[in-house]
Amino acid sequence: MPESSDSTSPAVPSRRGVLRAAAVVGGALGVPGGLAAAGGQPAAAATPSTVPSPPPELPAGLEAYRTPYINWAGEITHTGLWACAPRTGQDLADLANWAHANGWRLRARGKAHTWSPLTITGPDESDRRVLLMDTTEHLTRMELATPPPGAPGAVRAQTGVTLETLTAFLAEHGLGVTNTPAPGELTLGGTLAIDAHGTSVPAVGESPRPGHTYGTLSNLVLSLTAVVWDAARSAYVVRTFHRGSDKECEALATHLGRGLVVEAVLQAGEEVPLRCRSRVDLTSDELFAAPGSALAARGNTFADFLDRAGRVEAIWFAFTDKPWLKVWSLSPERPATARAVHHPYNYPFSDSLPTPVARLAGRLVGEGAWYLAPAFGAAQYTVAATGLAATFATDLWGAAHNLQFYLRPTTLRETANGYAILTRRADVQRVIARFAAYYSEQLKTRAARGEFPVNGQVEIRVGGLDRPEESAAPGARPPLLSVVRPPADRPDFDCAVWIDVLTQPTTPGAHAFYRDLERFLLATFDGDYALTRVEWSKGWAYTDTEAWADPEVIGTTVPASYGPGQWAEAVGVLDRLDPHGVFGNAFTDRLIRT
């Protein structure tokens, strides 16, 4: 029996009550079928096709096999690409030399938990010339490494290991990290390729902790071992680069799939337990209130919670007015009212959709009943609000990694755009309020026209920038292509507001909605008091019909957000390390160029 958080716990609804509460919203709308599972993907994409081409003759000891590729939301798929499971870094170098000699390209696949076409571009990818490398089968070794002065610990890990496994290993040795994404089933290689992030800035009065960073996981890098081109030997080789002394390390720390990292050494700090409190009673008007307004004066804005705890996330279901607010805080000792947890994923009601909500989702997608988006949002909020109480999850305490991972692969898989708005801490609420006002007005305006392009959630988080002073490597620079690399001309920017808007992949009008939102963000946060950058793993560069397709955003806007010198430096290093483009695809060819 879970430990109660207060004396009124006998009145808390049971888990069956969660389903009954959701049924109030969606039960009467149920139809047979719907989504087969919360994480269900298109059936056609799950079965490899019969392709007449014979398997490629790979270097000795490696065997090619057919495998489908399906990204997180099922938008980028292939029915059957050739793949292999390399065992060592030398295997990867041998594959690179084989690919160069035979006109193939190599793509590391990891867990395929991504939205963007940085791995493959879609079903038209040339399966005869693209080889996927599954890093998760063998390249998973890890061990403690000797930390440099200024860091309590360090870990050496191969890039196929998952974050959940890596952070649990660190915790066994009293070590941890400040920022992780919500899903634990992400590979280390994938998270470094796109500078994955969490949500944290210092709370008011909080002192920096040695070995930790408020930026991305890429800012923890001390050294990287990668497969790179050796001009003197005219071959791809395995080579190690050190942060602070080798500029190649800063390029590879966020390489967007234009590199192949075998192993990383990461710094780590002391593990300190966290407390996570959830609230579902505050209105979006109050939480996202404009600075200086009467609502903001109540002391319950996003920025207020940020000041108090430093680690905040808001999940705002479409067409609802009360977000799910999570607030994490450092808590060495368990508070009396908090329930201790000993494993990650402590919100079972969000792991798999209750039947009534799944039926609503089935009607949205299966029947095209997109007008049910408001009912679907209300049902999701009801499940969250009731589920938190039913599972005694409003106040949790435990090891940091157990509270930071809360998104399982079984959750509802939606498409998402993604942006980081770099700004000053003092302007965080201003940025959030501007976005929230625009988003709310857009939903109302479009609904009045009978359009419902959004049926998922808005996720808002705030994290630090990749500051070199948080690295224990002497002379370290921020990763060159990190989304939160501090702008050279704005030393006053010290944090980033991360914004994602989610919806079902086939929702009519979603791309046009995302296009308009992107243009709003780019125009509103243009570098004056805030600067918009795209989040590499999510959706961006929208036209009215597809993502990653606007040539101006890809070719001009994105590079300009980093500055021409920095962008050119990163591209130059990556090109030198892989001059033959073995690690890349048609999309990265367009993006990673001067």
Side-chain angles (χ1 to χ4, degrees):
M1 184 72 179
E3 187 177 5
S4 172
S5 61
D6 57 49
S7 60
T8 63
S9 61
V12 173
S14 67
R15 295 192 185 192
R16 291 183 179 180
V18 177
L19 300 181
R20 286 197 296 269
V24 171
V25 179
L29 301 173
V31 292
L35 295 185
Q41 300 295 339
T47 304
S49 60
T50 301
V51 178
S53 60
E57 295 183 9
L58 301 181
L62 297 171
E63 182 178 350
Y65 55 87
R66 283 280 177 184
T67 184
Y69 179 90
I70 309 169
N71 79 333
W72 174 255
E75 293 177 288
I76 300 175
T77 66
H78 197 291
T79 55
L81 286 163
W82 289 115
C84 70
R87 291 176 170 81
T88 66
Q90 188 57 51
D91 280 351
L92 294 173
D94 291 343
L95 281 168
N97 287 309
W98 166 85
H100 171 47
N102 291 277
W104 281 64
R105 307 189 88 172
L106 303 179
R107 313 304 297 143
R109 66 164 297 155
K111 292 294 185 178
H113 189 137
T114 184
W115 287 260
S116 62
L118 297 178
T119 303
I120 72 168
T121 57
D124 295 330
E125 195 92 17
S126 174
D127 63 320
R128 295 188 181 185
R129 298 294 176 186
V130 175
L131 182 73
L132 296 179
M133 299 173 295
D134 183 358
T135 60
T136 65
E137 188 168 343
H138 303 295
L139 297 172
T140 58
R141 292 196 303 274
M142 55 186 172
E143 63 183 5
L144 291 182
T146 302
V155 61
R156 183 186 312 277
Q158 292 182 311
T159 48
V161 71
T162 64
L163 292 187
E164 184 177 344
T165 301
L166 179 60
T167 53
F169 174 78
L170 287 172
E172 291 173 1
H173 298 278
L175 300 170
V177 300
T178 293
N179 272 340
T180 68
E185 195 184 42
L186 304 175
T187 63
L188 175 61
T191 57
L192 294 180
I194 50 86
D195 71 319
H197 65 94
T199 179
S200 72
V201 293
V204 171
E206 178 180 332
S207 300
R209 296 181 294 150
H212 287 270
T213 179
Y214 297 104
T216 71
L217 286 169
S218 294
N219 204 36
L220 297 173
V221 166
L222 296 173
S223 70
L224 293 173
T225 300
V227 176
V228 300
W229 179 255
D230 186 323
R233 297 171 58 181
S234 295
Y236 285 91
V237 299
V238 178
R239 182 166 296 163
T240 298
F241 303 98
H242 298 277
R243 183 94 176 266
S245 58
D246 299 319
K247 63 181 179 181
E248 294 88 349
C249 197
E250 274 82 13
L252 289 168
T254 304
H255 59 74
L256 312 187
R258 274 291 282 118
L260 182 57
V261 176
V262 182
E263 178 182 276
V265 176
L266 308 176
Q267 67 183 45
E270 179 187 0
E271 162 78 356
V272 176
L274 294 177
R275 181 186 192 184
C276 183
R277 284 175 284 185
S278 290
R279 293 185 62 171
V280 290
D281 60 316
L282 293 172
T283 67
S284 54
D285 286 345
E286 185 172 0
L287 188 62
F288 308 138
S293 66
L295 282 174
R298 296 179 179 179
N300 287 320
T301 67
F302 192 105
D304 289 325
F305 288 102
L306 202 65
D307 286 345
R308 292 195 282 268
R311 298 151 180 84
V312 183
E313 177 185 62
I315 299 177
W316 186 13
F317 301 105
F319 298 100
T320 65
D321 64 352
K322 291 182 179 178
W324 175 5
L325 177 69
K326 295 193 192 82
V327 181
W328 294 265
S329 56
L330 296 173
S331 182
E333 302 295 331
R334 182 177 74 87
T337 59
R339 176 168 70 88
V341 297
H342 306 285
H343 52 76
Y345 313 114
N346 293 288
Y347 306 109
F349 52 87
S350 66
D351 294 339
S352 298
L353 290 182
T355 299
V357 184
R359 286 174 173 168
L360 271 174
R363 291 200 64 185
L364 285 169
V365 178
E367 299 180 16
W370 304 107
Y371 62 89
L372 293 175
F376 185 59
Q380 288 182 296
Y381 167 79
T382 301
V383 166
T386 314
L388 285 166
T391 59
F392 305 98
T394 57
D395 192 355
L396 303 175
W397 177 87
H401 68 286
N402 285 335
L403 292 181
Q404 290 169 314
F405 295 133
Y406 62 84
L407 185 64
R408 287 185 184 273
T410 54
T411 192
L412 182 65
R413 299 196 178 189
E414 300 165 300
T415 191
N417 69 355
Y419 304 90
I421 316 300
L422 280 61
T423 190
R424 299 183 306 146
R425 178 77 171 265
D427 285 323
V428 162
Q429 190 66 26
R430 182 182 180 188
V431 168
I432 293 175
R434 288 291 302 274
F435 160 76
Y438 173 86
Y439 172 80
S440 296
E441 183 58 35
Q442 286 297 305
L443 287 195
K444 292 176 183 177
T445 299
R446 292 171 192 250
R449 300 199 302 253
E451 300 172 4
F452 300 90
V454 174
N455 45 61
Q457 312 82 40
V458 171
E459 296 177 350
I460 302 175
R461 289 172 279 183
V462 174
L465 305 187
D466 280 346
R467 296 195 168 278
E469 59 266 28
E470 294 176 358
S471 173
R477 295 190 302 162
L480 290 173
L481 294 182
S482 168
V483 178
V484 291
R485 179 184 172 96
D489 59 343
R490 293 305 304 262
D492 54 327
F493 286 0
D494 56 5
C495 63
V497 179
W498 296 89
I499 294 174
D500 306 318
V501 179
L502 293 83
T503 196
Q504 287 297 305
T506 57
T507 306
H511 290 109
F513 178 89
Y514 283 143
R515 176 205 60 203
D516 292 346
L517 174 57
E518 180 173 81
R519 292 177 180 177
F520 166 79
L521 295 175
L522 291 170
T524 304
F525 309 121
D526 60 355
D528 179 13
Y529 68 93
L531 172 68
T532 301
R533 286 184 182 156
V534 302
E535 184 175 359
W536 296 125
S537 67
K538 301 289 177 60
W540 41 274
Y542 288 94
T543 67
D544 59 357
T545 58
E546 57 184 327
W548 316 292
D550 186 319
E552 182 178 359
V553 172
I554 294 172
T556 302
T557 306
V558 168
S561 70
Y562 288 82
Q566 178 185 318
W567 186 264
E569 180 184 0
V571 172
V573 173
L574 293 174
D575 280 347
R576 178 168 54 80
L577 297 180
D578 179 26
H580 308 290
V582 168
F583 313 128
N585 62 29
F587 179 72
T588 59
D589 291 346
R590 295 171 58 202
L591 176 65
I592 311 298
R593 59 181 178 82
T594 54

